[in-house]
Structure formats: C-alpha cells, structure tokens
Amino acid sequence: MLDEPDRSRTFRDADVVVLPAEAAAAVVQHARFCFPEEACGLLAADPTGRITMVYCLTNLDRSPVRYTLAPAEHYHAWRHAEARGWELVGVFHSHPRAAPVPSARDVAGALEPRWFHLIVGHVDTAPRLAVHRIVDGRVTSLDLRVEG
Ligand SMILES: [Zn+2]
C-alpha cells in the first residue's frame, strides 16, 4: 500500500511535472500548427499521475495574444478522459512570440487551481516549455521534466 500513488497529491502539491517526450512534442507541434495564433488544449493523466493524453483544442479567440478553450471540445475531452479513468490535470497554450510566462490575462483567467498551466513560449524561434501553477492570482513556477 505504501507504493500506491496518491492522486490528490500528484498534481496539486507536486513541484515537478513529468511530461512524456511524445506529449511535449504534440504540444509544440500544435503550437507551431496554430502559429501565429495562440494554440491551446488540455492534458489528462491516469491515477498514477502519468500523462496519458494531449487534447489539442480550438482557440475560439483566434488571437496571437489570448485563448479561449472551445467549450464543446473541452467537454468531449473530459468525457474521453473520464471514460478511461483519467483526469484532466492541466491546460496548455502557446505564446507565439513571447516567453512562456503567464500573462496578466492568463492569471486572471485561471479558474482551476488544481491544474498545472503548461505554456509553450517563443514558438517563432526556439519553442520553450514552462509549467506553472496559478492559485488565487499567485503564480508558482514548477519544474518540468520531459522523459522518454
Ligand atoms: Zn498566455
């Protein structure tokens, strides 16, 4: 029982997010595909905390400086994850020409304190990934480990 993963701790309290290389590549690829607009999507994990799926969603804003997840696609991603015993654990979006640091809009719009916020910055030159937690308007940078 000691080895049983505690799902509630895995992403809420962890200061490291482990991302499979394939998931990182999918996020960067979606960001490139949507360039120069912001890309966005969701990430699911299994009960052990392993990232199992990257959902590339439509950015309803079609904007280079902001994003809104398409609600119907968000719902379908949630249904897809739930059916497999997974949980949505994070949201990602891109900063096409800026650093992967949450904007004031990102902070104000962060409604799910349990999620991590993965940002792909500098899609125009050298894409860089960074992950943050945003709780009550406070941003905490987390360590990101890409594996595999
Ligand atoms: Zn942003």
Side-chain angles (χ1 to χ4, degrees):
M1 288 300 285
L2 288 175
D3 291 335
E4 186 173 317
D6 181 346
R7 159 145 102 175
S8 65
R9 271 191 61 84
T10 305
F11 286 102
R12 188 182 296 181
D13 302 325
D15 50 11
V16 179
V17 170
V18 179
L19 201 59
E22 295 87 350
V27 167
V28 171
Q29 196 59 37
H30 187 51
R32 285 188 164 130
F33 183 75
C34 296
F35 186 88
E37 296 172 356
E38 286 199 6
C40 59
L42 295 164
L43 297 113
D46 69 15
T48 71
R50 186 178 62 94
I51 299 292
T52 49
M53 186 62 75
V54 173
Y55 298 101
C56 296
L57 269 57
T58 301
N59 176 5
L60 281 188
D61 293 337
R62 303 295 309 267
S63 162
V65 292
R66 65 177 193 271
Y67 74 98
T68 299
L69 299 170
E73 295 175 12
H74 183 160
Y75 175 69
H76 284 295
W78 177 80
R79 288 270 312 261
H80 184 271
E82 285 284 308
R84 286 157 181 78
W86 303 339
E87 188 180 0
L88 295 178
V89 294
V91 59
F92 75 89
H93 72 287
S94 63
H95 286 175
R97 303 179 194 277
V101 177
S103 66
R105 179 188 294 272
D106 292 336
V107 174
L111 299 177
E112 180 48 79
R114 295 190 58 200
W115 285 359
F116 63 80
H117 297 255
L118 175 65
I119 304 179
V120 197
H122 295 301
V123 181
D124 57 339
T125 52
R128 193 164 70 78
L129 294 165
V131 65
H132 314 273
R133 193 175 307 286
I134 304 173
V135 180
D136 295 333
R138 199 167 57 85
V139 177
T140 308
S141 291
L142 308 178
D143 287 330
L144 175 63
R145 198 161 69 220
V146 176
E147 283 187 347

